[in-house]
């Protein structure tokens, strides 16, 4: 079949691309393709079984309508009209947005954020905006952090909640179906069809029917998230799509009592700590903080199990979890950061018996592994019930672990108790967005008619910026039509 437009992936960038094209009414025959399922059929068995069963053929958390980000905790990073940096420029809410900022002015990004945020509100997002009511208290914490050479970034945030995000995206899926957007679920894109440096379509495999097909279009948008980063990297090599090698973020998910994070949770909901700890001075940051949340597992390609975090609107624990990530920037001749991250994940998965591994911070300091009995007697109870107690230092590199441990000590000087020995580290947590696809001002690759947006190609990092990129892509396509 021939379509006006084919979109590979159904994460936020693809969803908002389709939504905006409906508003602009320029494209009539649009096809979205994803390995996963309709959001109505995306259910994680772990909710009932208390363990990851590695759903086949693809994980229900990482694949399907709305993508992986919306099924973690559904936080929308934004910024407030009053937010300015030291030079008086609009402050982009602590979310660096990947490379998206290179393509437009701050004013245009602000307008995109405001427009996209209103769409989320229209579909039922919580009107409450965290991080805007405690300016003086936040400044005091930031000054304290700066004394330890740590930057504490505050920004307005709208929290959907894992279960509420499911409801919101269900409404958006219904909206797209009502407006005749074609959606192929449980369908793999095996390859691109490229002739004379022009895109002509994609080769697909329908998983349930075990059928290979070809679908055609003069315009194809690659809108894959971090789950599709490795696939996209291979596609770029095969078709000589120009890319740059970026960094890969490798680290752990950290769990500690709410009472330790009480001020950060109350004033900011999510605070981003960023530092360059001694001795390596690598960039280390916290990410995806979940007050009263739950640590979770999700499965990627080749059966890799990675750790993540959820936070619900109604269901609460007594623990806060957050990622601590170390940016790995490799130099010539090594040019395969995604494979490096996959190897780290494979080793830790093997050490954990094909599950996420958990270790007490105090046991790392003492140079010993954590045992089941240690967790039973620990004051911090793990919210990921099937995590395997063990020794993360066997799988994480010395440099990575040194960065993480020093960073924890630095933050402990700002947030007392952050380095308590009963706090828990889960691994591995890895963010695969190291393949930056080189694009022109219209997000087009060096293949005519082939575009790239979303986290998987490095354009964005995060739910809100990916959504904005989809809106922007729709407007560009409409201008070209």
């Amino acid at each position: 079949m021939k379509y006006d437009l084919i979109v590979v992936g159904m994460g936020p960038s693809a969803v908002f691309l389709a939504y905006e094209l409906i508003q602009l009414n320029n494209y009539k025959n649009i096809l979205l393709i994803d390995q996963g399922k309709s959001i109505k059929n995306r259910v994680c068995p772990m909710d009932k079984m208390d363990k990851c069963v590695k759903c086949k053929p693809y994980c229900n958390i990482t694949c399907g309508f709305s993508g992986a980000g919306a099924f973690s905790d559904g936080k929308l990073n934004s910024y407030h009209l009053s937010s300015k940096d030291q030079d008086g420029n609009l402050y982009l809410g602590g979310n660096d947005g990947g490379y998206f900022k290179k393509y437009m002015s701050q004013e245009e990004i602000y307008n995109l954020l405001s427009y996209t945020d209103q769409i989320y509100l229209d579909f039922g997002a919580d009107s409450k905006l965290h991080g805007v009511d405690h300016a003086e208290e936040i400044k005091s914490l930031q000054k304290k952090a700066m004394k330890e050479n740590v930057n504490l970034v505050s920004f307005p945030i709208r929290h959907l909640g894992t279960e509420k995000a499911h409801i919101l995206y269900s409404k958006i899926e219904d909206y797209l179906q009502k407006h005749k957007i074609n959606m192929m679920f449980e369908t793999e894109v095996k390859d691109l069809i490229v002739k004379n440096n022009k895109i002509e379509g994609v080769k697909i495999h329908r998983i349930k029917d075990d059928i290979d097909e070809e679908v055609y279009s003069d315009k194809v948008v690659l809108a894959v998230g971090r789950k599709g980063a490795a696939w996209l990297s291979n596609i770029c090599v095969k078709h000589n799509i120009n890319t740059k090698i970026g960094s890969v973020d490798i680290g752990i998910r950290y769990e500690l009592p709410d009472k330790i994070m009480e001020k950060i949770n109350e004033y900011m909901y999510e605070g981003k700590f960023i530092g360059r700890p001694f001795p390596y001075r690598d960039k280390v940051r916290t990410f995806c903080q979940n007050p009263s949340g739950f640590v979770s597992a999700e499965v990627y390609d080749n059966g890799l199990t990675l750790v993540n975090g959820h936070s619900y609107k109604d269901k609460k624990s007594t623990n806060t979890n957050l990622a601590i990530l170390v940016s790995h920037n490799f130099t010539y001749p090594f040019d395969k950061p995604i494979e490096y991250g996959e190897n780290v994940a494979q080793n830790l998965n093997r050490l954990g018996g094909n599950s996420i591994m958990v270790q007490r911070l105090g046991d790392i300091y003492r140079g010993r592994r954590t045992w089941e009995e240690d967790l039973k007697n620990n004051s911090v109870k793990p919210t990921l019930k099937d995590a395997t107690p063990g020794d993360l230092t066997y799988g994480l590199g010395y440099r990575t672990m040194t960065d993480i441990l020093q960073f924890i000590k630095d933050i402990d000087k700002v947030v007392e108790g952050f380095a308590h020995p009963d706090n828990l580290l889960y691994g591995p947590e890895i963010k695969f967005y190291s393949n930056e696809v080189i694009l022109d001002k219209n997000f087009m690759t060096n293949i005519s008619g082939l575009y790239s947006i979303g986290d998987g190609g490095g354009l964005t990092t995060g739910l809100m910026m990916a959504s904005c990129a989809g809106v922007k892509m729709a407007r560009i396509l409409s201008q070209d039509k």
Side-chain angles (χ1 to χ4, degrees), residues 109 152 179 195 204 216 228 269 292 315 319 372 416 436:
I109 293 177
L152 174 57
H179 288 82
K195 293 183 180 178
I204 63 173
Y216 300 96
Y269 191 86
S292 304
K315 178 182 174 183
N319 293 344
E372 191 69 45
E416 186 177 354
E436 181 192 350

Side-chain angles (χ1 to χ4, degrees), residues 189-194 197 203 230-243 336 435 446-447 450:
V189 175
K190 307 299 287 187
D191 201 0
L192 306 179
I193 303 171
V194 180
N197 209 49
K203 297 179 180 180
W231 173 88
L232 180 57
S233 180
N234 292 331
I235 285 291
C236 288
V237 171
K238 182 174 182 178
H239 294 283
N240 296 312
I241 298 169
N242 295 334
T243 62
K336 299 187 183 301
N435 188 49
N446 57 299
I447 304 295
L450 180 66

Side-chain angles (χ1 to χ4, degrees), residues 420-469:
H420 192 282
D422 280 3
N423 297 342
L424 301 174
L425 293 81
Y426 299 81
E429 178 140 352
I430 302 176
K431 301 306 179 188
F432 294 109
Y433 37 57
S434 57
N435 188 49
E436 181 192 350
V437 180
I438 298 175
L439 307 172
D440 68 12
K441 64 179 182 179
N442 293 322
F443 303 156
M444 188 187 293
T445 70
N446 57 299
I447 304 295
S448 179
L450 180 66
Y451 304 83
S452 177
I453 56 176
D455 287 16
L459 182 65
T460 56
T461 58
L463 183 60
M464 191 61 167
M465 281 298 186
S467 303
C468 289

Side-chain angles (χ1 to χ4, degrees), residues 80-313:
H80 198 264
L81 274 171
S82 62
S83 298
K84 305 274 187 177
D85 65 17
Q86 292 179 342
D87 298 320
N89 297 316
L90 287 169
Y91 182 56
L92 296 181
N95 182 1
D96 63 9
Y99 300 100
F100 192 53
K101 293 192 295 185
K102 296 196 306 186
Y103 295 89
M104 61 202 75
S105 68
Q106 288 191 333
E107 289 290 346
E108 186 174 3
I109 293 177
Y110 170 74
N111 291 332
L112 273 172
L113 278 166
S114 299
Y115 177 84
T116 306
D117 186 49
Q118 188 58 52
I119 297 171
Y120 275 107
L121 289 170
D122 291 344
F123 279 98
D126 192 338
S127 60
K128 180 177 177 57
L129 205 57
H130 299 270
V132 296
D133 297 328
H134 301 277
E136 292 305 316
E137 293 89 342
I138 291 171
K139 285 181 181 179
S140 177
L141 285 170
Q142 289 173 327
K143 288 180 180 179
K144 191 175 181 180
M146 286 302 295
K147 290 180 180 179
E148 307 303 329
N149 295 313
V150 174
N151 186 21
L152 174 57
V153 179
S154 173
F155 52 92
I157 186 167
R158 199 180 303 285
H159 179 225
L160 303 180
T162 302
E163 78 279 38
K164 303 297 183 182
H166 189 282
I167 296 171
L168 184 149
Y169 277 100
S170 291
K171 293 178 181 178
I172 298 179
E173 183 179 331
D174 290 342
Y175 182 87
L176 298 190
Q177 288 177 334
K178 178 182 177 181
H179 288 82
K180 311 301 182 186
I181 299 294
N182 301 288
M183 288 179 274
M184 283 188 183
F185 296 106
E186 298 180 84
T187 301
E188 299 169 321
V189 175
K190 307 299 287 187
D191 201 0
L192 306 179
I193 303 171
V194 180
K195 293 183 180 178
N196 299 320
N197 209 49
K198 293 182 178 180
I199 193 71
E200 293 192 356
V202 298
K203 297 179 180 180
I204 63 173
H205 176 74
R206 292 180 178 267
I207 298 170
K208 278 190 172 181
D209 299 325
D210 195 23
I211 295 174
D212 293 322
E213 296 178 355
E214 294 184 355
V215 288
Y216 300 96
S217 178
D218 297 329
K219 293 185 177 181
V220 173
V221 177
L222 305 176
V224 299
R226 292 191 289 266
K227 165 68 171 65
W231 173 88
L232 180 57
S233 180
N234 292 331
I235 285 291
C236 288
V237 171
K238 182 174 182 178
H239 294 283
N240 296 312
I241 298 169
N242 295 334
T243 62
K244 293 180 182 177
I245 300 301
S247 62
V248 61
D249 287 348
I250 299 174
I252 53 94
R253 175 75 37 176
Y254 197 56
E255 187 168 39
L256 65 168
D258 280 340
K259 61 183 179 182
I260 292 176
M261 298 296 290
E262 184 176 10
K263 291 182 179 179
I264 301 292
N265 292 345
E266 179 184 354
Y267 301 155
M268 308 165 73
Y269 191 86
E270 176 178 7
K272 288 186 185 293
F273 290 91
I274 305 170
R276 292 186 177 273
F278 181 83
Y280 299 110
R281 304 303 184 189
D282 298 318
K283 180 182 178 182
V284 186
R285 64 190 176 99
T286 63
F287 178 78
C288 187
Q289 181 174 315
N290 296 294
S292 304
F294 296 83
V295 178
S296 63
E298 54 190 33
V299 181
Y300 282 66
D301 292 341
N302 302 317
L304 292 180
T305 303
L306 304 181
V307 65
N308 208 330
H310 290 190
S311 55
Y312 299 86
K313 278 292 187 181

Side-chain angles (χ1 to χ4, degrees), residues 22 32-33 42 62 108 112 118 145 155 376 398 430 472:
I22 292 170
L32 276 57
I33 308 172
R42 290 183 64 185
T62 59
E108 186 174 3
L112 273 172
Q118 188 58 52
F155 52 92
K376 289 180 181 178
Y398 175 82
I430 302 176
K472 179 64 176 178

Side-chain angles (χ1 to χ4, degrees), residues 409-421:
K409 291 178 181 178
D410 290 344
I411 298 179
D412 187 67
K413 297 173 185 175
V414 183
V415 180
E416 186 177 354
F418 197 83
H420 192 282

